[in-house]
Amino acid sequence: MASNTDRDGLAEAAADNGIVRSSFSTYASELNQQMLAWRDRVGHIVDVLPSKEQIAGGFRGRIDRHSVGDFAFTDTVTDAMTLERSVARVSTDDRRSYAFHIFAQGKIATEMGMQKKRSAADSTEGLIVFDMDQPFRVERSACHMLTMFVPREVVEAAFPGADSIHGRVVERGAPLTQLVVNHALALSRDLPKMGAAQAAHELDAGAQLLLAAFRKQASLTGDARAAVQAAVMSQVRRYVEANLNEPDLSPSSVVEALQLKR
C-alpha cells in the first residue's frame, strides 16, 4: 500500500484489497489558504463559492473517502459553505451517479432551477439526494455529513423516471430515516477495517436502505425489505457485541435500547 501526506493535510492510499481510500483536511494549512485548499480538493465535482470572510479567516474541513467498485462513501465535517454544480460543470464532468447526503448534524437549503427547498428550521438529521447529471446549488450550515454515491443503474432499477428524485428531501422523523443514519454512522466507523467483499455488501445494503427511505413505501418488498432486515440485524449485532459483558443484556434490553419492534 502506498500513501503520502502533503502540506494541505492530504493523505491518499490505494489498497490492494480492492478498496481505494483517501483522506483530506485543511487543518494543517495556513488560515488564508484553508478555503482555497478545500475548493481545490472538491472542485472537480462541485464549485465552492467562498466568502471574503472564509478566505481571510479560515475554513475547517475534513473528508474521508472509501471507494469499492462503482460505489463510494464519504464522511465529511465542514464549516458552513455554499456549493454549486452548474450546467457547465455537469457538461464537463462524467459523473452520473446519485449522491445521497445523510446529515448526522447540520441543515441544508437547496436550489434547483426556479425551485427552492429548505429543510425544517429545527431539523438536524435528514436525507437529501442529488442527481449528478443535473445542476444544483446548496447552502450548508456547519455539518457532519455522510454521503453515498450510488450508481445510476441501481437507482433507476428502483425508481422509474429516477431523475425526478433530484433534490428530494426526507426529513428527520420520517420512516427509516434513523435506520439510514445509524447504518451510515456504522459504515463510517467500520469501513476502514473491512475487506472489499464485506465493504461492497454493506454499501449495497446501505444503498437499498436509502432507496427504500425515499420510496416511502408503506409495505416494503424485495430488495428494500431485505435491506431493512439486514440493516436492523447489523445494528443488533453491533449492540450485542458492544454489551456482551453487561449482566442485564437480553432480547428485551436490545429491543428497548434500539427502539425496535419485537
mmCIF file of all heavy atoms in Angstrom, residues 100-120:
data_model
loop_
_atom_site.group_PDB
_atom_site.id
_atom_site.type_symbol
_atom_site.label_atom_id
_atom_site.label_comp_id
_atom_site.label_asym_id
_atom_site.label_seq_id
_atom_site.Cartn_x
_atom_site.Cartn_y
_atom_site.Cartn_z
ATOM 1 N N PHE A 100 -26.415 10.585 -2.283
ATOM 2 C CA PHE A 100 -27.348 10.604 -1.162
ATOM 3 C C PHE A 100 -26.622 11.181 0.049
ATOM 4 O O PHE A 100 -25.689 10.570 0.575
ATOM 5 C CB PHE A 100 -27.847 9.197 -0.852
ATOM 6 C CG PHE A 100 -28.776 8.627 -1.896
ATOM 7 C CD1 PHE A 100 -28.266 7.999 -3.026
ATOM 8 C CD2 PHE A 100 -30.154 8.721 -1.750
ATOM 9 C CE1 PHE A 100 -29.120 7.472 -3.983
ATOM 10 C CE2 PHE A 100 -31.016 8.199 -2.704
ATOM 11 C CZ PHE A 100 -30.500 7.578 -3.826
ATOM 12 N N HIS A 101 -27.051 12.363 0.494
ATOM 13 C CA HIS A 101 -26.432 13.031 1.633
ATOM 14 C C HIS A 101 -27.223 12.705 2.896
ATOM 15 O O HIS A 101 -28.444 12.910 2.945
ATOM 16 C CB HIS A 101 -26.405 14.543 1.431
ATOM 17 C CG HIS A 101 -25.550 14.981 0.276
ATOM 18 N ND1 HIS A 101 -24.319 14.444 0.016
ATOM 19 C CD2 HIS A 101 -25.762 15.927 -0.691
ATOM 20 C CE1 HIS A 101 -23.789 15.029 -1.038
ATOM 21 N NE2 HIS A 101 -24.653 15.926 -1.493
ATOM 22 N N ILE A 102 -26.517 12.248 3.912
ATOM 23 C CA ILE A 102 -27.111 11.866 5.188
ATOM 24 C C ILE A 102 -26.545 12.809 6.245
ATOM 25 O O ILE A 102 -25.351 12.757 6.558
ATOM 26 C CB ILE A 102 -26.767 10.400 5.523
ATOM 27 C CG1 ILE A 102 -27.232 9.478 4.389
ATOM 28 C CG2 ILE A 102 -27.374 9.988 6.861
ATOM 29 C CD1 ILE A 102 -26.449 8.184 4.305
ATOM 30 N N PHE A 103 -27.391 13.699 6.758
ATOM 31 C CA PHE A 103 -26.923 14.708 7.702
ATOM 32 C C PHE A 103 -27.010 14.164 9.122
ATOM 33 O O PHE A 103 -28.085 14.063 9.694
ATOM 34 C CB PHE A 103 -27.739 15.987 7.561
ATOM 35 C CG PHE A 103 -27.316 16.826 6.393
ATOM 36 C CD1 PHE A 103 -27.720 16.508 5.111
ATOM 37 C CD2 PHE A 103 -26.479 17.916 6.577
ATOM 38 C CE1 PHE A 103 -27.314 17.266 4.025
ATOM 39 C CE2 PHE A 103 -26.054 18.679 5.495
ATOM 40 C CZ PHE A 103 -26.481 18.346 4.221
ATOM 41 N N ALA A 104 -25.854 13.809 9.680
ATOM 42 C CA ALA A 104 -25.803 13.437 11.089
ATOM 43 C C ALA A 104 -25.987 14.677 11.952
ATOM 44 O O ALA A 104 -26.603 14.635 13.010
ATOM 45 C CB ALA A 104 -24.483 12.756 11.407
ATOM 46 N N GLN A 105 -25.455 15.809 11.487
ATOM 47 C CA GLN A 105 -25.641 17.107 12.131
ATOM 48 C C GLN A 105 -25.628 18.169 11.039
ATOM 49 O O GLN A 105 -24.836 18.090 10.103
ATOM 50 C CB GLN A 105 -24.524 17.406 13.135
ATOM 51 C CG GLN A 105 -24.498 16.482 14.340
ATOM 52 C CD GLN A 105 -23.338 16.811 15.265
ATOM 53 O OE1 GLN A 105 -22.282 17.214 14.824
ATOM 54 N NE2 GLN A 105 -23.560 16.626 16.558
ATOM 55 N N GLY A 106 -26.483 19.165 11.162
ATOM 56 C CA GLY A 106 -26.448 20.265 10.222
ATOM 57 C C GLY A 106 -27.746 20.449 9.471
ATOM 58 O O GLY A 106 -28.656 19.628 9.546
ATOM 59 N N LYS A 107 -27.830 21.562 8.728
ATOM 60 C CA LYS A 107 -29.018 21.919 7.962
ATOM 61 C C LYS A 107 -28.622 22.211 6.525
ATOM 62 O O LYS A 107 -27.457 22.471 6.229
ATOM 63 C CB LYS A 107 -29.697 23.160 8.559
ATOM 64 C CG LYS A 107 -30.074 23.025 10.027
ATOM 65 C CD LYS A 107 -30.588 24.347 10.572
ATOM 66 C CE LYS A 107 -30.848 24.253 12.070
ATOM 67 N NZ LYS A 107 -31.275 25.547 12.636
ATOM 68 N N ILE A 108 -29.610 22.213 5.642
ATOM 69 C CA ILE A 108 -29.317 22.424 4.235
ATOM 70 C C ILE A 108 -30.438 23.206 3.583
ATOM 71 O O ILE A 108 -31.612 23.075 3.957
ATOM 72 C CB ILE A 108 -29.125 21.066 3.507
ATOM 73 C CG1 ILE A 108 -28.622 21.280 2.076
ATOM 74 C CG2 ILE A 108 -30.408 20.258 3.500
ATOM 75 C CD1 ILE A 108 -28.185 20.010 1.395
ATOM 76 N N ALA A 109 -30.078 24.058 2.629
ATOM 77 C CA ALA A 109 -31.037 24.721 1.751
ATOM 78 C C ALA A 109 -30.560 24.502 0.330
ATOM 79 O O ALA A 109 -29.365 24.585 0.048
ATOM 80 C CB ALA A 109 -31.119 26.211 2.053
ATOM 81 N N THR A 110 -31.457 24.183 -0.586
ATOM 82 C CA THR A 110 -31.067 23.846 -1.943
ATOM 83 C C THR A 110 -31.875 24.631 -2.953
ATOM 84 O O THR A 110 -32.993 25.058 -2.681
ATOM 85 C CB THR A 110 -31.269 22.344 -2.222
ATOM 86 O OG1 THR A 110 -32.668 22.060 -2.215
ATOM 87 C CG2 THR A 110 -30.584 21.490 -1.186
ATOM 88 N N GLU A 111 -31.298 24.801 -4.127
ATOM 89 C CA GLU A 111 -31.987 25.422 -5.249
ATOM 90 C C GLU A 111 -31.728 24.581 -6.486
ATOM 91 O O GLU A 111 -30.593 24.244 -6.794
ATOM 92 C CB GLU A 111 -31.486 26.845 -5.486
ATOM 93 C CG GLU A 111 -31.762 27.805 -4.342
ATOM 94 C CD GLU A 111 -31.257 29.201 -4.641
ATOM 95 O OE1 GLU A 111 -31.224 29.569 -5.823
ATOM 96 O OE2 GLU A 111 -30.900 29.905 -3.692
ATOM 97 N N MET A 112 -32.810 24.221 -7.203
ATOM 98 C CA MET A 112 -32.726 23.537 -8.477
ATOM 99 C C MET A 112 -33.562 24.329 -9.464
ATOM 100 O O MET A 112 -34.783 24.293 -9.426
ATOM 101 C CB MET A 112 -33.264 22.099 -8.393
ATOM 102 C CG MET A 112 -32.280 21.106 -7.791
ATOM 103 S SD MET A 112 -32.123 21.239 -6.005
ATOM 104 C CE MET A 112 -33.743 20.754 -5.495
ATOM 105 N N GLY A 113 -32.913 25.102 -10.330
ATOM 106 C CA GLY A 113 -33.652 25.947 -11.255
ATOM 107 C C GLY A 113 -34.416 27.007 -10.481
ATOM 108 O O GLY A 113 -33.878 27.699 -9.636
ATOM 109 N N MET A 114 -35.720 27.132 -10.741
ATOM 110 C CA MET A 114 -36.548 28.118 -10.058
ATOM 111 C C MET A 114 -37.122 27.565 -8.757
ATOM 112 O O MET A 114 -37.785 28.266 -8.018
ATOM 113 C CB MET A 114 -37.707 28.551 -10.969
ATOM 114 C CG MET A 114 -37.239 29.229 -12.240
ATOM 115 S SD MET A 114 -36.289 30.727 -11.917
ATOM 116 C CE MET A 114 -37.583 31.756 -11.201
ATOM 117 N N GLN A 115 -36.862 26.283 -8.495
ATOM 118 C CA GLN A 115 -37.458 25.635 -7.325
ATOM 119 C C GLN A 115 -36.484 25.693 -6.165
ATOM 120 O O GLN A 115 -35.298 25.443 -6.307
ATOM 121 C CB GLN A 115 -37.785 24.171 -7.643
ATOM 122 C CG GLN A 115 -38.502 23.450 -6.521
ATOM 123 C CD GLN A 115 -38.833 22.014 -6.903
ATOM 124 O OE1 GLN A 115 -38.226 21.454 -7.799
ATOM 125 N NE2 GLN A 115 -39.793 21.435 -6.235
ATOM 126 N N LYS A 116 -36.983 26.037 -4.982
ATOM 127 C CA LYS A 116 -36.148 26.116 -3.789
ATOM 128 C C LYS A 116 -36.756 25.265 -2.694
ATOM 129 O O LYS A 116 -37.950 25.325 -2.432
ATOM 130 C CB LYS A 116 -35.989 27.554 -3.315
ATOM 131 C CG LYS A 116 -34.932 27.727 -2.226
ATOM 132 C CD LYS A 116 -34.616 29.189 -2.033
ATOM 133 C CE LYS A 116 -33.435 29.356 -1.088
ATOM 134 N NZ LYS A 116 -33.056 30.770 -0.932
ATOM 135 N N LYS A 117 -35.931 24.438 -2.060
ATOM 136 C CA LYS A 117 -36.395 23.581 -0.984
ATOM 137 C C LYS A 117 -35.513 23.818 0.227
ATOM 138 O O LYS A 117 -34.301 23.932 0.106
ATOM 139 C CB LYS A 117 -36.320 22.101 -1.388
ATOM 140 C CG LYS A 117 -37.129 21.758 -2.627
ATOM 141 C CD LYS A 117 -37.014 20.294 -2.956
ATOM 142 C CE LYS A 117 -37.795 19.939 -4.210
ATOM 143 N NZ LYS A 117 -37.711 18.509 -4.532
ATOM 144 N N ARG A 118 -36.127 23.886 1.383
ATOM 145 C CA ARG A 118 -35.365 24.072 2.617
ATOM 146 C C ARG A 118 -35.735 22.996 3.619
ATOM 147 O O ARG A 118 -36.885 22.592 3.704
ATOM 148 C CB ARG A 118 -35.621 25.454 3.231
ATOM 149 C CG ARG A 118 -34.999 26.591 2.429
ATOM 150 C CD ARG A 118 -35.118 27.908 3.177
ATOM 151 N NE ARG A 118 -34.500 28.977 2.412
ATOM 152 C CZ ARG A 118 -33.213 29.310 2.504
ATOM 153 N NH1 ARG A 118 -32.431 28.637 3.312
ATOM 154 N NH2 ARG A 118 -32.729 30.294 1.786
ATOM 155 N N SER A 119 -34.737 22.594 4.388
ATOM 156 C CA SER A 119 -35.031 21.668 5.474
ATOM 157 C C SER A 119 -35.754 22.434 6.568
ATOM 158 O O SER A 119 -35.686 23.652 6.656
ATOM 159 C CB SER A 119 -33.730 21.065 6.020
ATOM 160 O OG SER A 119 -32.908 22.073 6.534
ATOM 161 N N ALA A 120 -36.461 21.700 7.415
ATOM 162 C CA ALA A 120 -37.154 22.343 8.531
ATOM 163 C C ALA A 120 -36.147 23.070 9.399
ATOM 164 O O ALA A 120 -35.007 22.643 9.566
ATOM 165 C CB ALA A 120 -37.900 21.281 9.348
#
